[in-house]
Amino acid sequence: MAEKKFVVTPWEVTGEVDYDRLIRDFGTQPISATLAKRLEGIMGDSAYLVKRGIFFSHRDLNMVLDDHEKGKGFFLYTGRGPSGPMHIGHILPFYFTKQLQDKLHVNVYIQITDDEKFLEEKRNLSYEDTQKWAVENILEIAAVGLDPEKTFILQDTEFVGHAYPLILKIARKINYSTAKSVFGFTGETNVGFSFYPSIQILPSLLEKKRCLIPSAIDQDPYWRIQRDIAESLGFHKAAAIHSKFIPPLTGMADKMSSSRPETAIYLTDDDKTVKNKIYKHAFSGGQSSIEEHRKLGGNPDVDVPFQWLYMFFEPDDQKIEEIRTEYKKGQLLTGQLKDILVEKVTRFLHDHRERREKARDRVHLYKKDGALAREMWKHDFSKS
Ligand code: TRP
């Protein structure tokens, strides 16, 4: 059987991703119906991202839930590489993380990898660029509204010096051939990258409890290495819950790309831009004329406006299934489906922006002055 070509690495996602094959290739577990139900029992309605398979794969999620139920607790870790403005796909794991924190009151660590984005030469970012994007991205993340006393945003170029003793212990456990085979380093890769995995692993070892990492599946290679070394350092293997990529507006293949603005909706896009992008560029599974559409109906599986509603913007199960049925039957037209999405996205962005303005005064709590941030800056990492 001919397998379709696609690539998923921490630095590149191209082609139409076959998620079942990724589970096999990466050696992760699909989220079973039983496990999804268990999470639903804990998260309530906010589990829709799991129920609908946006978060579709995991490592040791059941053990995290066991620890939670036994009162041992756990913590969450996620991150962002500040390489440019954030779009809808970038912010989704943060909203999911917030829903988990709201329900379970756990600590959250958010790593801002300005170092990683500087090292990625292909991106051509100056050091100043990475600092500027770090500031802007942190504000978007602050807008999500995580608990400032239980959330620590660590920006690598500021924090890794403080945590260096623990980073060294991590680095000494990872040999070059492992890193090379996991990440595909070549003779041309700069040496910063050889060391960088130790830095992305650090936040998973900030507590002696189990760590659950919500992230897109492309970050899993780091967690594979983490799981090989964590126990020998006296910590738990990281657990992970992996999401799919929200498809670009322009069609189901590849992922949203900052270099092609029409493929994505940015958190900073104004109402007019949102409308324009969706009406002009969103790939439709509808028919070419209204008559045809009424007769044959649309195909929600390839229709990006439908997929965006399903994957994020319409949490109400009954509503989304109504939309699916009406669209398939041709009762709902492409333009009307796009109207629904425009309305949802516009409202989401309005709310997000309002929260962003209020968040400005909270950033220092996440980075320095909140209870968890203070604890981390005080911690003596030579004793980790
Ligand atoms: N490497 C990620 C990126 O390029 C950033 C990141 C660091 C991250 N730690 C993480 C993402 C943990 C998810 C979970 O965006």
Coordinates of all heavy atoms in Angstrom, one line a residue, residues 77-81 111 113 116-117 196 200 213-215 219 223, ligand 1:
Y77 N 3.0 21.0 32.3 CA 4.1 21.7 31.6 C 3.8 21.9 30.2 O 3.4 20.9 29.5 CB 5.5 21.0 31.9 CG 6.6 21.3 30.9 CD1 6.8 22.6 30.4 CD2 7.4 20.2 30.4 CE1 7.8 22.8 29.5 CE2 8.4 20.5 29.5 CZ 8.6 21.8 29.1 OH 9.6 22.0 28.2
T78 N 3.9 23.1 29.7 CA 3.8 23.3 28.2 C 4.7 24.4 27.8 O 5.4 25.0 28.7 CB 2.3 23.4 27.8 OG1 2.2 23.4 26.4 CG2 1.7 24.7 28.3
G79 N 4.7 24.8 26.6 CA 5.6 25.8 26.2 C 5.3 26.5 24.8 O 4.4 26.1 24.1
R80 N 6.2 27.4 24.5 CA 6.0 28.2 23.3 C 7.3 28.7 22.8 O 8.1 29.3 23.6 CB 5.0 29.4 23.5 CG 5.1 30.5 22.5 CD 4.4 30.2 21.2 NE 4.7 31.2 20.2 CZ 4.7 31.0 18.9 NH1 4.3 29.9 18.4 NH2 4.9 32.0 18.1
G81 N 7.6 28.4 21.5 CA 8.8 29.0 20.9 C 8.5 30.4 20.3 O 7.7 30.4 19.4
Q111 N 7.3 27.1 29.4 CA 8.6 27.4 29.0 C 8.6 28.3 27.7 O 7.9 27.9 26.7 CB 9.4 26.1 28.7 CG 10.9 26.4 28.3 CD 11.7 25.2 28.1 OE1 11.2 24.2 27.6 NE2 12.9 25.2 28.6
T113 N 10.9 29.4 24.8 CA 12.2 28.9 24.3 C 12.8 29.9 23.3 O 12.9 29.7 22.2 CB 12.0 27.5 23.7 OG1 11.1 27.6 22.6 CG2 11.6 26.5 24.7
E116 N 15.9 28.5 21.8 CA 15.7 27.5 20.7 C 15.4 28.3 19.4 O 15.9 27.9 18.3 CB 14.5 26.7 21.0 CG 14.1 25.7 20.0 CD 12.7 25.1 20.2 OE1 11.8 25.6 20.9 OE2 12.4 24.0 19.6
K117 N 14.6 29.3 19.4 CA 14.2 30.0 18.2 C 15.4 30.8 17.6 O 15.5 31.0 16.4 CB 13.0 30.9 18.4 CG 11.7 30.1 18.8 CD 11.3 29.1 17.8 CE 11.0 27.8 18.5 NZ 10.5 26.8 17.5
Y196 N 20.5 21.8 23.5 CA 19.1 22.3 23.7 C 18.1 21.3 24.3 O 17.3 21.6 25.2 CB 18.6 23.0 22.5 CG 17.1 23.4 22.7 CD1 16.9 24.5 23.5 CD2 16.1 22.6 22.2 CE1 15.6 24.8 23.8 CE2 14.8 22.9 22.6 CZ 14.5 24.0 23.3 OH 13.2 24.3 23.7
Q200 N 14.9 21.8 27.1 CA 13.4 21.6 27.0 C 13.0 20.5 28.0 O 11.8 20.4 28.3 CB 13.1 21.3 25.5 CG 11.6 21.1 25.4 CD 11.0 21.4 24.0 OE1 11.6 22.2 23.2 NE2 9.9 20.8 23.7
I213 N 2.4 16.7 30.1 CA 2.7 17.7 29.1 C 1.7 17.7 28.0 O 1.6 16.8 27.2 CB 4.1 17.4 28.5 CG1 5.1 17.2 29.6 CG2 4.5 18.6 27.6 CD1 6.5 16.8 29.1
P214 N 0.8 18.8 28.0 CA -0.1 18.9 26.8 C 0.7 19.6 25.7 O 1.3 20.7 26.0 CB -1.2 19.8 27.3 CG -1.0 20.0 28.8 CD 0.5 19.7 29.0
S215 N 0.8 19.0 24.6 CA 1.6 19.7 23.5 C 1.1 19.1 22.2 O 0.5 18.0 22.1 CB 3.1 19.5 23.6 OG 3.5 18.2 23.2
Q219 N 6.3 17.6 19.4 CA 7.2 17.8 20.5 C 7.6 16.5 21.2 O 8.4 16.4 22.1 CB 6.7 18.8 21.5 CG 6.4 20.2 21.0 CD 7.7 20.8 20.5 OE1 8.7 20.9 21.2 NE2 7.6 21.3 19.2
W223 N 10.1 14.2 24.8 CA 9.6 13.4 25.9 C 10.1 12.0 25.9 O 10.3 11.4 27.0 CB 8.0 13.5 26.0 CG 7.4 14.8 25.6 CD1 6.3 15.0 24.9 CD2 7.9 16.1 25.9 NE1 6.1 16.3 24.7 CE2 7.1 17.1 25.3 CE3 9.0 16.6 26.6 CZ2 7.2 18.4 25.3 CZ3 9.2 18.0 26.6 CH2 8.3 18.9 26.0
Ligands
TRP1 N1 9.7 23.6 21.3 C1 8.4 24.3 21.4 C2 8.2 25.2 20.2 O1 9.0 25.3 19.3 C3 8.3 25.1 22.7 C4 8.2 24.2 23.9 C5 9.1 24.1 24.9 C6 7.1 23.4 24.2 N2 8.6 23.2 25.9 C7 7.4 22.8 25.5 C8 5.9 23.1 23.6 C9 6.5 21.9 26.1 C10 5.0 22.2 24.2 C11 5.3 21.6 25.5 O2 7.2 25.8 20.1

